[in-house]
Each structure stands twice: as C-alpha cells, then as structure tokens.
C-alpha cells in the first residue's frame, strides 16, 4: 500500500495534465455529438424537428447555428485557442 503523502505528491506534480485531459474530453464530446448533423442533412432535419416541437424560433436556422457553434467551439477548445470565448458561446448555446 502506497502512503497517502506519496500519492498526493504524485498527483500534485502532474496537476497540469488534469486540465489538458479535461479539455480533450470536452472537445471530444462537443465534436462527436455534432459531427453526425454536419455530415448528414437528414440528421440536421431530425434536430430541426426536435427544436420545432419544443417551440424554438426559426428551427432550421437555430439547428444549424447550434450545431456549427458546438463543433467550432469544440475545435477551438481542442486547439486551446480562444477557450474563454468558446466557453462563453457554449454557455449561451
């Protein structure tokens, strides 16, 4: 059994990896969740119908805006560029 102090020291020296792994995970979720709508117009129409059933204004425009915002922000987060702006866009989305 490894003493607690050694385990905390191990993770303390590698704390910068946590934010990197979290950034990769978040980018993956954003991009993976929207890529099917980008490559398949039929999936975009399904998303549009979902938005329309739930009362969103301009459902086709809203669907396109949401999908491309999520994918673009996922790419920015993956690259580490404009991460605060991308996070703001995701909060509004």
């Amino acid at each position: 059994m490894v003493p607690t102090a050694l385990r905390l020291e191990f993770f303390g020296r590698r704390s910068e990896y946590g934010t990197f792994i979290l950034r990769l995970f978040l980018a993956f979720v954003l991009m993976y969740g929207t890529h099917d709508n980008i490559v398949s117009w039929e999936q975009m129409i399904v998303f549009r119908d979902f938005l329309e059933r739930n009362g969103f204004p301009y459902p086709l425009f809203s669907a396109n805006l949401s999908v491309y915002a999520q994918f673009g922000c996922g790419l920015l987060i993956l690259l580490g560029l404009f991460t605060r702006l991308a996070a703001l866009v995701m909060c509004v989305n």
Side-chain angles (χ1 to χ4, degrees):
M1 184 84 180
V2 178
T4 304
L6 287 178
R7 283 184 284 171
L8 292 177
E9 182 182 328
F10 174 82
F11 290 116
R13 287 182 294 177
R14 292 162 180 82
S15 63
E16 67 276 359
Y17 295 124
T19 54
F20 177 71
I21 291 170
L22 183 61
R23 197 175 83 209
L24 288 180
F25 177 74
L26 179 61
F28 172 78
V29 168
L30 288 172
M31 293 173 72
Y32 182 78
T34 57
H35 86 280
D36 60 335
N37 292 358
I38 291 174
V39 299
S40 170
W41 183 250
E42 290 79 21
Q43 284 299 112
M44 185 68 79
I45 297 302
V46 169
F47 185 44
R48 180 210 56 191
D49 294 342
F50 168 78
L51 293 178
E52 190 172 36
R53 280 192 311 273
N54 288 292
F56 282 83
Y58 310 107
L60 184 59
F61 176 75
S62 297
N64 279 295
L65 181 64
S66 177
V67 165
Y68 286 105
Q70 286 183 50
F71 192 84
C73 289
L75 186 61
L76 287 174
I77 290 170
L78 177 68
L79 298 174
L81 301 172
F82 307 108
T83 54
R84 290 182 185 196
L85 178 62
L88 176 65
V89 170
M90 287 296 87
C91 287
V92 171
N93 187 37

